[in-house]
Amino acid sequence: MEFNLTWILLGLPVAFVLGWLASRWDLRQVRADNRQAPRAYFKGLNFLLNEQQDKAIDAFIEAVQNDPDTTELHFALGNLFRRRGEYNRAVRVHEHLLSRADLSRPDRDRAQHALAQDFLKAGLLDRAEESLHRLEGTQYEGEARLALLAIYERSRDWTQAANIARKMQAANQGDFSARLAHYLCEDAQTQITKAQFDAANAQLLQAVEIAPHAPRPRLELAQLQHRQGQSAQALQTLNVLAEQSPASLPLAASLLVQIAQATGEVSAVQALLATHYAQAPSLDLLQAQVALDGDSAEAPGRARFVKHLEHENSLVAAAQWLEGETLTEEQYHGAIQKALDHAAKPLTRYRCAACGFEARTHFWHCPGCQSWDSYPARRVEEL
């Protein structure tokens, strides 16, 4: 076959033109896509700034469809879904990111952290716990441990909570000694309900050793000692409590009365109560002194309420004083007493300093905001 050079000379320009047209077509397509993706992105950003989350989500979905490899758009979209309460969609977005083999290690950790937040917000604590454990050794480790601590406290798994608290303390994330003491006290209360008093005593002693200035371990240890007939030891424990944490002594006032009556150490307890009442007058300390005064004519007795009123405008003290008095028109005493008791009742509650949640009993762990040691040892009227 004879080789024809003419066809080659004619084909070269044609091939060149076709190649040039193809490159121009691809370049136009890339430019169009690049213009389309930022346009959708900035449109979504504008909607987000104007607090139009529905339209922002639609714009980000459009941007993701145009450029499915953009991780930042996926993160923005997942966060928007979570803020709107659409946790299932947020989970799908972040799980899709984690399924990508080309995702960098920092972005993979970020997606894992976002997924854990989705589960937390959705209330899926078991799945959140699993996701948070996978963040060990990452830059989100500290946040993950805080979240795990909240999960274990919420589920009252004090053993696991103590393990996380020890890790955080070892990593210099804060001083968790008081928190660890609370966990041991919670476990001790569980042991007491099971009549396992030796185990409870050991845990309370360990709590005292971990947090010697924390009031709860000594207070609950004294309660356990008194319950087991060791009232003299309980009194010694409360004497140390009065030295280490004098502000918390009102919480032990009623227990001191029981111990004084059981041991016969009324004078010693009265002296202790009087000393701390003089330093910081308290309704609980006042009532404990009145309870120990007895009915003798020489004892101050209920006159303490009047003396208290000279320094403190206390409706509670006034109502308690009036309760034992005889009025000129005694037929009205019952109605007046009932009205005063009703008015004074809210003033005898305890109030959380963090969230304002009020309760008739003192809490170490606020049921409202889950804060520890947020309840002062004083009644609402005394704050």
Side-chain angles (χ1 to χ4, degrees):
M1 177 180 296
E2 186 178 350
F3 185 73
N4 193 343
L5 189 60
T6 305
W7 289 107
I8 296 178
L9 294 175
L10 291 175
L12 283 175
V14 172
F16 175 78
V17 171
L18 290 175
W20 182 80
L21 290 174
S23 64
R24 294 296 296 174
W25 174 262
D26 290 341
L27 185 59
R28 287 178 182 178
Q29 184 65 32
V30 169
R31 287 177 177 174
D33 292 343
N34 288 340
R35 285 195 301 269
Q36 188 175 8
R39 188 180 299 115
Y41 175 79
F42 288 119
K43 187 193 301 182
L45 184 60
N46 183 55
F47 285 135
L48 191 59
L49 292 174
N50 290 324
E51 298 184 357
Q52 296 175 288
Q53 293 188 9
D54 292 338
K55 294 182 178 180
I57 286 175
D58 293 337
F60 283 135
I61 289 175
E62 178 186 349
V64 168
Q65 289 173 345
N66 293 330
D67 190 4
D69 294 331
T70 305
T71 57
E72 290 299 330
L73 289 177
H74 282 77
F75 283 122
L77 192 58
N79 291 338
L80 277 174
F81 283 142
R82 190 193 311 128
R83 288 179 60 184
R84 279 177 49 85
E86 299 182 41
Y87 304 122
N88 289 335
R89 300 179 75 179
V91 167
R92 286 201 298 269
V93 169
H94 294 130
E95 285 183 337
H96 172 71
L97 277 173
L98 288 170
S99 67
R100 286 173 47 179
D102 62 336
L103 199 64
S104 65
R105 184 66 189 181
D107 283 341
R108 185 171 298 278
D109 294 340
R110 183 181 173 188
Q112 187 68 57
H113 180 248
L115 183 63
Q117 289 180 310
D118 297 337
F119 290 139
L120 281 173
K121 291 291 186 180
L124 303 174
L125 299 185
D126 53 342
R127 300 187 67 180
E129 179 184 355
E130 181 182 353
S131 297
L132 290 168
H133 276 300
R134 292 177 182 174
L135 293 170
E136 285 287 332
T138 70
Q139 61 176 325
Y140 302 100
E141 182 180 66
E143 297 177 40
R145 286 174 176 172
L146 279 173
L148 282 170
L149 198 63
I151 289 175
Y152 293 137
E153 287 181 355
R154 186 174 174 181
S155 59
R156 302 184 67 80
D157 189 342
W158 307 116
T159 302
Q160 291 285 9
N163 291 335
I164 295 295
R166 291 188 184 97
K167 287 183 180 179
M168 296 176 73
Q169 184 148 345
N172 295 321
Q173 286 186 247
D175 182 9
F176 289 86
S177 56
R179 192 79 68 93
L180 284 167
H182 279 301
Y183 299 155
L184 288 167
C185 290
E186 293 288 347
D187 270 336
Q189 290 300 319
T190 303
Q191 300 298 334
I192 290 172
T193 58
K194 298 177 181 178
Q196 298 176 354
F197 301 119
D198 291 340
N201 186 74
Q203 288 176 319
L204 291 173
L205 289 173
Q206 185 181 353
V208 169
E209 183 180 356
I210 290 175
H213 293 281
R216 184 183 183 183
R218 283 195 171 88
L219 179 58
E220 295 191 358
L221 178 61
Q223 290 172 342
L224 179 59
Q225 290 169 335
H226 177 61
R227 179 174 180 174
Q228 292 184 289
Q230 303 169 358
S231 299
Q233 294 183 21
L235 182 56
Q236 294 177 4
T237 301
L238 292 181
N239 279 322
V240 178
L241 172 68
E243 295 176 4
Q244 297 286 347
S245 181
S248 63
L249 193 62
L251 297 176
S254 60
L255 179 60
L256 279 168
V257 173
Q258 298 173 28
I259 291 173
Q261 293 170 345
T263 59
E265 298 286 346
V266 175
S267 299
V269 172
Q270 275 281 31
L272 178 66
L273 293 171
T275 299
H276 286 273
Y277 177 83
Q279 295 172 355
S282 163
L283 286 171
D284 291 292
L285 297 179
L286 174 65
Q287 291 167 351
Q289 290 181 87
V290 172
L292 290 176
D293 280 338
D295 298 326
S296 63
E298 296 81 10
R302 296 178 53 262
R304 290 183 185 273
F305 290 123
V306 178
K307 189 174 181 180
H308 182 81
L309 289 170
E310 293 175 0
H311 305 284
E312 305 286 339
N313 295 322
S314 173
L315 182 61
V316 176
Q320 291 177 345
W321 172 81
L322 185 64
E323 186 176 358
E325 289 298 307
T326 302
L327 303 182
T328 303
E329 300 182 8
E330 187 62 24
Q331 66 271 25
Y332 304 121
H333 193 173
I336 294 173
Q337 187 67 49
K338 184 177 180 181
L340 282 175
D341 290 341
H342 179 74
K345 188 175 181 179
L347 302 177
T348 61
R349 296 173 182 168
Y350 296 95
R351 179 186 295 157
C352 174
C355 69
F357 187 92
E358 293 186 3
R360 296 178 61 185
T361 57
H362 181 273
F363 284 105
W364 299 104
H365 191 207
C366 177
C369 64
Q370 305 299 305
S371 298
W372 290 96
D373 294 319
S374 59
Y375 276 84
R378 303 178 72 83
R379 310 283 179 168
V380 168
E381 188 182 55
E382 302 171 290
L383 297 178

